[in-house]
């Protein structure tokens, strides 16, 4: 049983979560000290076993054996919904592969709470976990998402981030995504809950001057230009692709993006090349009379 626990406010524990934790033969948890504190605050005593990123794979056979015996096992993480930037996925896969029943007690989750408070479009959204901690990898990660947007992805984007990296991450986000609406959600459900909703560069400047503390989730709005555009004609797509690709690669790219057979795209590319060659061969007077769009590459200097 996957049991969600509060992300900062004990009052958010559900009746069902309490009941399952109280009845479980074993509670698997990331940090036994932390879950012991939670159980104590709920006035219960549970049998705790650690299951974290580093021992999950090794513990799976023993856990599956308990499940096969019909034991009730609860899996919790330090906070929020297990598996979401937390351990448990490998165990769930292994249990499902054996046909063992898996159920969930849903509850608090920082990403969804930040999203609904952000004022940004709630659907579709893309949850991306923590960005890489290393600066170069982080920038590459953001650029790969930006590229996906250029190829048509249009979704609100959500990341977790540690407070000591917030300012640099926001600076990288602003450099990659520009003047995009965004929100920084801090200490959700806790006493000092705060959600700042501004454009990315303004948020980057604010947190560069006011170092953040506590737990943080970042949400950014969808790319404004990523609305579905008119499909390009094969000619338009080829002209664009040929500026940066060889004939062969351009044909493959355009066939893939337009869904046209490769042979047809290739034939069109050859015809375009021939037309361009003819235009270039025309004398100046004929060119201005017959070809309103001379191919710039071959146009002689004035
Ligand atoms: N499984 C958790 C969930 O469902 O929300 C997320 C676990 S992840 C390891 C922890 C990260 O979630 C934190 O570093 C922070 O980025 C985000 N987070 C957790 N609690 C939060 C809160 N109260 N306010 C804002 N972000 C929070």
């Amino acid at each position: 049983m996957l049991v969600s626990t509060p992300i900062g406010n004990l009052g958010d524990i559900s009746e069902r979560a309490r009941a399952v934790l109280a009845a479980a033969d074993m509670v698997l948890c990331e940090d036994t000290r932390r879950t012991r504190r939670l159980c104590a605050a709920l006035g219960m005593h549970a049998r705790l076993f650690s299951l974290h990123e580093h021992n999950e794979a090794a513990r799976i056979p023993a856990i599956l054996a308990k499940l096969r015996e019909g034991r009730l096992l609860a899996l919790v993480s330090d906070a929020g919904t297990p598996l979401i930037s937390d351990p448990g996925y490998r165990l769930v896969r292994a249990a499902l592969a054996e046909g063992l029943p898996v159920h969930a007690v849903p509850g608090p989750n920082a990403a969804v709470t930040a999203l609904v408070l952000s004022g940004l479009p709630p659907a579709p959204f893309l949850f991306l976990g923590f960005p890489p901690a290393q600066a170069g990898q982080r920038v590459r990660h953001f650029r790969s998402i930006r590229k996906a947007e250029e190829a048509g992805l249009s979704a609100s984007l959500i990341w977790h981030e540690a407070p000591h990296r917030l300012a640099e991450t926001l600076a990288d986000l602003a450099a990659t995504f520009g003047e995009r609406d965004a929100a920084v959600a801090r200490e959700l459900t806790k006493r000092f809950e705060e959600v700042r909703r501004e454009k990315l560069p303004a948020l980057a400047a604010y947190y560069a001057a006011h170092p953040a503390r506590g737990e943080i989730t970042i949400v950014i709005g969808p790319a404004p230009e990523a609305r579905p555009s008119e499909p390009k004609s094969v000619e338009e797509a080829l002209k664009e692709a040929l500026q940066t690709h060889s004939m062969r690669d351009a044909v493959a790219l355009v066939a893939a993006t337009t869904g046209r057979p490769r042979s047809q795209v290739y034939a069109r590319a050859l015809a375009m090349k021939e037309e361009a060659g003819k235009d270039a061969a025309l004398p100046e007077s004929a060119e201005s009379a017959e070809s309103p769009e001379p191919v710039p590459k071959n146009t002689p200097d004035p």
Side-chain angles (χ1 to χ4, degrees):
M1 190 75 88
L2 311 173
V3 182
S4 296
T5 57
I7 55 169
N9 190 322
L10 191 62
D12 293 335
I13 190 87
S14 71
E15 283 297 325
R16 204 166 151 236
R18 272 179 193 268
V20 170
L21 292 178
D25 295 305
M26 274 167 70
V27 176
L28 307 168
C29 55
E30 272 189 280
D31 178 345
T32 48
R33 283 166 308 175
R34 211 169 149 152
T35 303
R36 188 160 293 119
R37 278 204 298 276
L38 172 71
C39 290
L42 297 173
M44 63 176 66
H45 207 76
R47 286 186 69 203
L48 305 180
F49 286 86
S50 84
L51 183 92
H52 48 71
E53 202 189 328
H54 305 291
N55 70 5
E56 182 177 352
R59 295 239 156 145
I60 286 176
I63 296 169
L64 294 185
K66 296 272 176 214
L67 288 173
R68 268 185 242 112
E69 287 169 14
R71 306 279 174 160
L72 173 59
L73 302 193
L75 170 69
V76 298
S77 58
D78 281 352
T81 300
L83 277 74
I84 303 300
S85 289
D86 276 334
Y89 170 66
R90 285 175 288 186
L91 174 60
V92 168
R93 291 277 300 176
L96 293 176
E98 289 215 9
L100 293 161
V102 179
H103 299 284
V105 178
N109 169 252
V112 169
T113 308
L115 175 67
V116 296
L117 288 177
S118 68
L120 297 165
F125 72 85
L126 180 57
F127 169 66
L128 293 146
F130 284 92
Q134 200 266 330
Q137 286 175 15
R138 184 169 59 233
V139 169
R140 277 197 291 283
H141 164 73
F142 291 152
R143 284 189 187 148
S144 73
I145 304 296
R146 181 70 197 115
K147 274 205 176 139
E149 289 187 337
E150 283 162 5
L153 170 72
S154 178
S156 290
L157 308 173
I158 310 176
W159 287 273
H160 292 319
E161 190 49 294
H164 61 278
R165 275 197 284 269
L166 180 65
E168 52 186 290
T169 290
L170 286 170
D172 291 344
L173 282 169
T176 311
F177 295 93
E179 287 281 336
R180 184 81 62 91
D181 287 328
V184 171
R186 213 171 57 78
E187 295 288 87
L188 292 170
T189 75
K190 304 186 205 178
R191 184 159 168 221
F192 295 109
E193 173 174 301
E194 174 192 55
V195 183
R196 296 192 81 84
R197 305 169 185 87
E198 287 185 77
K199 302 272 185 205
L200 276 174
L203 285 171
Y206 179 84
Y207 284 106
H210 304 87
R213 292 168 67 172
E215 299 201 274
I216 289 150
T217 299
I218 303 169
V219 186
I220 79 173
E225 74 272 27
R227 282 181 228 108
S229 53
E230 286 291 306
K232 284 189 193 132
S233 70
V234 170
E235 282 79 4
E236 282 172 327
L238 271 172
K239 263 190 208 156
E240 207 175 288
L242 282 166
Q243 285 175 17
T244 48
H245 293 74
S246 66
M247 167 84 101
R248 188 163 166 248
D249 291 347
V251 167
L253 183 68
V254 172
T257 52
T258 62
R260 298 289 182 87
R262 196 184 274 235
S263 56
Q264 208 182 79
V265 177
Y266 184 63
R268 191 62 213 127
L270 280 182
M272 282 169 64
K273 198 174 164 193
E274 229 168 76
E275 280 159 29
K278 263 190 227 154
D279 287 349
L282 288 173
E284 234 173 85
S285 56
E287 185 175 275
S288 53
E290 290 180 27
S291 172
E293 284 179 46
V295 178
K297 256 194 230 159
N298 299 324
T299 306
D301 290 335

